[in-house]
Amino acid sequence: MNTMENLKTKSIITAIALSLVVASCKAPMATVIKDEVKTNIPQNFQQEEQQDANNNSGTTPWRQFFTDPNLVSLIETALKNNQELLITLQEIEIAKSGVLAKKGRLTPMVSAGIGAGVRKAGRYTSEGAGDATTEIEPGKSIPDPLGNFEGGLTANWEIDIWKKLRTEKESAVAHYLSTVEGKNFVLSNLIEEVANNYYDLLALDNQLDIIQQYIKLQQKALEISKIQKEAAAATELAVKKFQAELAKSKASEYTIRQSITEKENQINALLGRYPQTIVRTKESFMSTIPQTVYTGIPSQLLANRPDIKQAEFELKSSKLDVEAARKEFYPSLEISATLGLEAFKPSYLVKLPESIASSLVGELAGPLINKSAIKANFQAADAKQIQALYEYDKTILNAYLDVANLMSKVKNIDQYYQLKSQETKALDESIDIANQLFRNSRADYLEVLLNQRDALDAKMELVEAKQKQLSTVVDIYKSLGGGWK
C-alpha cells in the first residue's frame, strides 16, 4: 500500500513539473529590428574626399589640443569643481551599487536570529489533548501554556537554473558602463563650453578695445567739426551729429562691459566658483591660428564619441532586460534551510542533540494562469529595447551630421574671415581719406560718419569671425569625440 502511495505522489510531482516546463515554453520572443543606421554608415564624411583613418583629432588629448595656458588652467579647475560633473559621478556610484545588488542575488542569503514566544492550545483540540496526555520526561507533563525559545541560522537561495539572475547582473553592468560613458560625455561638453566661453570673452575684450578706439576717433571728429563751425566751414548740424554718434558709442561701451561681466560669471559658474576675474591675454586673440582638424572616417565615431558608446551600452542593457523579463515565464527553484536550537525552556536549549532543529525545503514554482503582470513587464521591457535602438541610431546619425556640418562651416568661416579682413583694411583706409577731405572741406560730415560706422561694423564682425573660427574648431573637436581623454 505504501509503495502505491509513493508511486502516486511521484506521478503527481512529475505532472506538475511537466506542466511548468510546458508553460515556460510559451514565453514570448523579443522584437528584433535590424540596425540600418549603423550598418549603412558612410565610408567618408564627404564622398569626393578620401580620409586618412590614422589622422583623427578626436583621439588627441585635450591638453595637447589646447595650447593657451590660461584656457588649460580654466579647464583643469572646471574638471575639479563643476557641479554637473560631480552629479554625474554620483550617478556612476549609484549604478555601481546596482551591480553589487544584482550580484548579491546570485549567492544564498543567510541570516541569524533569536526568538521567544508562548502558546496555549485549547484543551479540546487535537493539539491540546495530545499535549495533555504526553510526558516530556517520566512523570513530567508538557507545560501549559507552552513556551518556545529558539535561535539559529536561516538560508534562502534562488537557484539560477535559467541564468535569469546572471542576465540581470549583466544588464546592471551594461548600465554602469553607460554611466561611465555619460560622465565622459559630460567631460567633453564641459571642456567645449569652457573653451567657447573663453573665446567669447576674448572677442568681447577686443570689441571693447575697438569701441574705445572709435570713441577717440569720434572725439577728434567732433573737435574738427566745432573748429569748422567757427570758421563757417560747417554747420551746427554737423556738430550735433558727431555729438550723437559719440554718445551712441559710449553707450555701446557700457553694453560690452556688461557682457564681459556676464561672460566672466558664466565661466566662473562652469568652474564651480564665485565671481572673480578670468585671467586671460587678449592681445594675441586676432593673430591666433585655429588648430588643423583631421576627421578620420565616420566609423571611428562609434569608438570615439562617448554619447554613442553610452547609447550602445544602454541598448545592450535594455536587450538584457528583455531577456531577463522573458525568463520570468520560466519556473524558479528556491531552497530554504534552517539550523538552530529550539526548546520550550531556555535551560533545555543546551541539551544536545535533543534541542537541535533543522529544515530543508526545495520549491519549484512557475506561473500557470493570470500571467498578465509578467506579460506587461515583458512588453514594457521589449518596448524599451526598441526605444533604446532608435535612440542609438539617432545618436549615430546626429554625430555624423554634426561633423559634416562643422567641416563645411570651418571652410566657409575661413573664407568669410579672409574677406572681412580685406573689407576692414579697405574701410580703415577710407576713414583716413574721408577725414582728410573733411579737414579740407572737400567732404561733408555724413561721408565721414558713414565711413566710420562701416569701419566699426566691419571690425566688430571681423572679431566675431575670429571667435567663430576658434569656436568651430572646438565644436568639431568635440563632435569627433575629443575632450574626455
Side-chain angles (χ1 to χ4, degrees):
M1 187 67 179
N2 290 336
T3 303
M4 291 296 294
E5 290 180 354
N6 289 336
L7 289 174
K8 186 182 291 185
T9 302
K10 289 181 180 180
S11 63
I12 293 173
I13 293 174
T14 302
I16 293 174
L18 286 174
S19 65
L20 290 172
V21 172
V22 171
S24 67
C25 292
K26 297 181 180 179
M29 300 299 294
T31 304
V32 178
I33 300 176
K34 188 177 179 181
D35 192 353
E36 298 286 350
V37 174
K38 182 179 179 180
T39 304
N40 299 327
I41 190 169
Q43 295 296 316
N44 297 294
F45 287 105
Q46 293 180 334
Q47 296 297 332
E48 68 272 11
E49 295 184 6
Q50 293 296 322
Q51 301 293 328
D52 184 1
N54 294 323
N55 288 329
N56 190 319
S57 297
T59 60
T60 304
W62 68 266
R63 284 185 175 84
Q64 296 178 19
F65 189 83
F66 297 105
T67 56
D68 187 330
N70 293 323
L71 176 56
V72 170
S73 177
L74 292 173
I75 292 174
E76 288 177 342
T77 303
L79 296 182
K80 294 177 183 177
N81 301 331
N82 181 262
Q83 279 81 16
E84 184 177 354
L85 180 58
L86 296 176
I87 292 170
T88 304
L89 292 177
Q90 296 310 307
E91 290 179 359
I92 294 177
E93 293 301 317
I94 293 171
K96 188 186 296 184
S97 299
V99 174
L100 295 176
K102 296 297 183 181
K103 184 179 179 182
R105 292 187 61 191
L106 289 167
T107 56
M109 179 178 290
V110 180
S111 59
I114 59 174
V118 65
R119 174 178 175 78
K120 177 175 175 59
R123 178 64 178 83
Y124 299 108
T125 63
S126 59
E127 183 182 354
D131 290 347
T133 58
T134 302
E135 293 182 343
I136 190 65
E137 291 178 356
K140 198 171 185 178
S141 60
I142 293 178
D144 186 23
L146 182 66
N148 187 62
F149 300 89
E150 59 183 351
L153 302 176
T154 301
N156 294 286
W157 187 18
E158 180 179 352
I159 308 298
D160 196 19
I161 54 178
W162 309 111
K163 294 185 177 181
K164 182 190 75 172
L165 301 180
R166 288 183 179 86
T167 302
E168 291 177 349
K169 189 196 80 171
E170 290 173 5
S171 173
V173 170
H175 177 65
Y176 164 73
L177 293 175
S178 78
T179 60
V180 173
E181 295 300 335
K183 180 264 296 182
N184 292 337
F185 189 56
V186 171
L187 280 175
S188 185
N189 283 337
L190 177 60
I191 290 173
E192 179 196 32
E193 283 191 75
V194 173
N196 283 342
N197 280 285
Y198 178 75
Y199 292 137
D200 288 345
L201 183 58
L202 292 180
L204 288 170
D205 288 338
N206 280 264
Q207 287 180 334
L208 181 61
D209 289 343
I210 291 171
I211 200 71
Q212 289 174 341
Q213 294 170 8
Y214 186 66
I215 288 172
K216 292 179 181 178
L217 189 64
Q218 287 298 311
Q219 288 173 337
K220 290 181 180 178
L222 177 60
E223 291 172 1
I224 293 172
S225 67
K226 289 180 178 179
I227 293 172
Q228 288 189 335
K229 178 194 170 187
E230 292 176 359
T235 64
E236 179 67 19
L237 180 60
V239 174
K240 295 299 182 184
K241 283 289 185 180
F242 281 116
Q243 285 179 337
E245 190 71 13
L246 179 59
K248 179 182 176 181
S249 300
K250 289 182 176 179
S252 297
E253 177 184 1
Y254 287 106
T255 300
I256 295 175
R257 288 185 182 277
Q258 178 61 26
S259 297
I260 289 174
T261 299
E262 292 177 359
K263 186 61 64 175
E264 282 189 314
N265 288 338
Q266 191 171 350
I267 294 174
N268 282 316
L270 291 172
L271 272 56
R273 66 189 189 187
Y274 287 105
Q276 57 184 273
T277 302
I278 301 298
V279 178
R280 58 196 185 271
T281 304
K282 63 181 179 180
E283 289 75 17
S284 59
F285 175 71
M286 294 303 295
S287 60
T288 302
I289 300 175
Q291 287 266 24
T292 302
V293 178
Y294 302 98
T295 60
I297 56 177
S299 59
Q300 292 174 326
L301 293 173
L302 303 179
N304 291 343
R305 281 195 49 144
D307 58 334
I308 293 179
K309 294 165 72 176
Q310 181 184 19
E312 182 180 7
F313 280 122
E314 285 296 339
L315 175 60
K316 180 180 179 181
S317 176
S318 63
K319 287 182 177 179
L320 290 168
D321 286 339
V322 176
E323 185 179 343
R326 185 173 184 271
K327 290 175 180 177
E328 291 289 346
F329 289 90
Y330 300 169
S332 60
L333 175 60
E334 294 188 4
I335 295 177
S336 300
T338 60
L339 177 63
L341 302 175
E342 186 175 17
F344 63 83
K345 287 179 64 176
S347 60
Y348 287 175
L349 288 173
V350 295
K351 289 189 176 182
L352 302 177
E354 291 85 354
S355 62
I356 294 176
S358 63
S359 68
L360 180 63
V361 178
E363 182 181 32
L364 182 67
L368 292 178
I369 58 176
N370 194 20
K371 297 184 286 188
S372 58
I374 299 176
K375 289 179 180 178
N377 184 48
F378 172 80
Q379 291 169 356
D382 190 41
K384 286 180 180 178
Q385 66 101 6
I386 297 173
Q387 186 182 51
L389 175 61
Y390 292 148
E391 189 69 32
Y392 178 57
D393 287 346
K394 184 182 76 172
T395 306
I396 294 175
L397 182 61
N398 288 341
Y400 179 88
L401 294 175
D402 282 347
V403 176
N405 289 337
L406 289 168
M407 284 177 61
S408 175
K409 187 176 180 180
V410 166
K411 294 178 181 178
N412 291 328
I413 199 66
D414 285 345
Q415 294 297 321
Y416 177 81
Y417 181 79
Q418 297 300 327
L419 293 172
K420 277 296 175 182
S421 297
Q422 296 175 19
E423 179 188 2
T424 301
K425 183 178 179 181
L427 287 171
D428 277 343
E429 293 173 354
S430 71
I431 286 178
D432 293 336
I433 295 171
N435 286 339
Q436 186 65 35
L437 292 173
F438 184 61
R439 290 190 191 96
N440 297 326
S441 300
R442 295 176 61 186
D444 61 20
Y445 67 91
L446 287 176
E447 292 179 277
V448 176
L449 281 175
L450 289 174
N451 273 281
Q452 290 177 348
R453 287 177 182 175
D454 290 344
L456 174 64
D457 292 340
K459 286 182 178 181
M460 291 293 198
E461 290 171 357
L462 182 63
V463 172
E464 291 177 358
K466 173 58 69 174
Q467 180 269 326
K468 288 179 181 178
Q469 259 191 333
L470 298 173
S471 293
T472 301
V473 170
V474 174
D475 292 341
I476 196 170
Y477 172 63
K478 177 250 182 181
S479 295
L480 290 170
W484 60 272
K485 295 183 179 179

